[in-house]
Amino acid sequence: APLPAFLRASRRPTVTTLPTILSQPNPQQRAVLEELARLSTRLVVMSASGAELLKRVHGIPDHQIDLIPHGIPSVPADGRSKDRLGVEGKTVILTFGLLSPDKGIEYVIDALPTILAAHPDTIYIVLGATHPHVVEREGEAYRLMLEARGQRLGVGSSMIFHNRFVSQDELTEFLSAADIYITPYLQAEQITSGTLAYAVGAGKAVISTPYIYAREILAEGRGVLVPWRDATAIANEVIDVLRDDARRQSMSTRAAAFGVGMTWPAVARRYIESFQRARAE
């Protein structure tokens, strides 16, 4: 593989960040990761579950691993963001990120009729382009299915699809406007999610399926977990969070406090410490 070959040729201390670690790697995947670990001075993971997998599955010693959270921007509270996005007076539910069939967005759409019956002013925004690999294989079939599903359920006018990549400034605008953030993802073993990290750091009320990273980052009242592929549970939690101001504020406060350690300046300091340890070793 090109990367291990590059590291074998390098004589410098190496810090390798591993955003994805599999609990059941195939032999080739195992060999590549363990070769990277052998050639790296330090390994960075973005979650405690990632560190645990390195130790349990690959036998990596704890002293070689640095846990540094996913970096996030600062999202200032801005009461005018809804006006600028054309959703003033609306309750905004947001999902963002590259679109692919494992994102489970259809279950939020299935929940919308029940949500709208309780909160008719709700808008569900799906922000992000379809993943390039999905476009190569399937075109826009998934997005078209989602739009057709919404029309069939009579909620098409309460959904907005922004099919494009957005700048960080635009993204913070949408996050600022959101009342609830939802990640209905279907990959149980996902150990990192930049989109979820952004939403938590922004102090959003978050509802998510229980993939590994969500269980970790939304613990201690920082968000709500719902069962896999369960539109009824999503609807019930959205309605309850919107109805219970104290609960929503508690989630938001806990999430924002947790997010302070995930801002880019804090993350940069942690990386500098990791680089210093690598040089010392």
Side-chain angles (χ1 to χ4, degrees):
L3 185 55
F6 170 79
L7 293 181
R8 280 191 291 271
S10 173
R11 299 188 178 187
R12 300 186 180 188
T14 301
V15 177
T16 301
T17 300
L18 301 170
T20 300
I21 303 155
L22 302 175
S23 64
Q24 296 180 306
N26 64 37
Q28 182 181 13
Q29 291 165 334
R30 176 185 290 275
V32 169
L33 191 143
E34 292 178 5
E35 178 74 348
L36 285 175
R38 187 183 67 80
L39 294 168
S40 299
T41 316
R42 306 206 61 77
L43 298 173
V44 173
V45 294
M46 299 181 185
S47 63
S49 52
E52 176 59 29
L53 285 172
L54 279 184
K55 290 182 282 187
R56 177 170 56 83
V57 177
H58 297 282
I60 308 298
D62 188 61
H63 63 77
Q64 190 183 359
I65 303 169
D66 290 325
L67 172 54
I68 304 177
H70 194 293
I72 59 171
S74 174
V75 179
D78 186 344
R80 297 171 299 170
S81 57
K82 287 188 179 183
D83 294 350
R84 288 193 292 269
L85 294 175
V87 290
E88 62 275 9
K90 300 291 187 180
T91 299
V92 175
I93 299 171
L94 176 66
T95 297
F96 83 87
L98 292 172
L99 218 59
S100 58
D102 61 359
K103 293 301 173 69
I105 290 167
E106 59 268 35
Y107 297 99
V108 183
I109 294 173
D110 289 350
L112 279 180
T114 303
I115 294 169
L116 288 164
H119 300 278
D121 63 346
T122 298
I123 291 286
Y124 181 38
I125 298 176
V126 179
L127 176 64
T130 299
H131 196 292
H133 293 164
V134 174
V135 172
E136 287 176 10
R137 294 192 309 266
E138 306 166 16
E140 292 288 352
Y142 181 61
R143 183 185 302 275
L144 293 172
M145 180 277 287
L146 295 175
E147 293 176 351
R149 197 180 192 108
Q151 294 295 337
R152 189 170 66 251
L153 291 171
V155 298
S157 61
S158 297
M159 302 188 319
I160 299 174
F161 285 84
H162 287 283
N163 180 16
R164 58 190 177 85
F165 295 98
V166 293
S167 68
Q168 186 161 293
D169 286 345
E170 288 179 291
L171 177 53
T172 56
E173 186 90 275
F174 278 94
L175 276 171
S176 182
D179 296 288
I180 292 179
Y181 187 82
I182 297 184
T183 58
Y185 302 164
L186 306 179
Q187 289 185 329
E189 292 197 5
Q190 187 167 338
I191 64 165
T192 306
S193 168
T195 60
L196 182 57
Y198 275 41
V200 168
K204 297 289 107 175
V206 178
I207 297 170
S208 177
T209 47
Y211 53 95
I212 291 173
Y213 187 64
R215 293 202 307 268
E216 183 174 325
I217 200 171
L218 298 180
E220 300 177 2
R222 293 187 290 266
V224 181
L225 298 177
V226 293
W228 306 104
R229 298 176 170 85
D230 193 334
T232 300
I234 292 172
N236 289 341
E237 289 294 355
V238 168
I239 291 167
D240 188 71
V241 168
L242 291 175
R243 180 175 54 214
D244 190 340
D245 290 341
R247 182 188 185 203
R248 186 170 71 253
Q249 186 56 51
S250 174
M251 290 165 56
S252 176
T253 300
R254 290 167 186 259
F258 186 79
V260 170
M262 299 164 63
T263 58
W264 282 119
V267 167
R269 285 192 294 271
R270 300 275 288 275
Y271 268 102
I272 289 171
E273 292 167 1
S274 182
F275 298 156
Q276 289 171 336
R277 281 192 286 269
R279 290 184 65 182
E281 292 168 12

